[in-house]
Amino acid sequence: MIEKLDRITVNPELCLGQPTIRGMRITVGFVLKLLASQLSIEQILAAYPELEEEDIRQALNYAAWAVSDRTVSITSA
C-alpha cells in the first residue's frame, strides 16, 4: 500500500504538470537528480532551505511507487 504523499502535488499549470514538492517550483525529478548526484539530504536542505527532510523522503517514496509497476527489458551487449 502506498504511504501518504501529502507533500507531492500535481498542477497542470505548474512545471508542465510534473509532480512538485508542496506546490513549489521544485519538482520531484529535480530532488531525485540532486540525490543521484550524491548530495546528502543535509546538503540539499542547506542549498534549498524551503525544503524539509520529509519533502525529500516523500519524493523518494513517490518515485519508488511510480516505477514499481513498470517492467524494463534490458539486453546484454
Side-chain angles (χ1 to χ4, degrees), residues 14-72:
L14 183 64
C15 296
L16 302 173
Q18 296 178 60
T20 62
I21 307 296
R22 292 185 284 125
M24 297 184 286
R25 293 187 178 276
I26 299 176
T27 65
V28 169
F30 179 70
V31 172
L32 295 174
K33 287 176 186 176
L34 293 173
L35 290 166
S37 68
Q38 300 185 354
L39 289 176
S40 69
I41 291 175
E42 293 76 20
Q43 289 170 315
I44 295 169
L45 295 175
Y48 298 92
E50 62 271 37
L51 289 176
E52 299 173 5
E53 186 172 345
E54 183 61 19
D55 297 327
I56 296 170
R57 299 216 180 278
Q58 284 195 23
L60 282 168
N61 285 334
Y62 178 87
W65 174 79
V67 300
S68 66
D69 291 333
R70 297 185 184 169
T71 303
V72 177

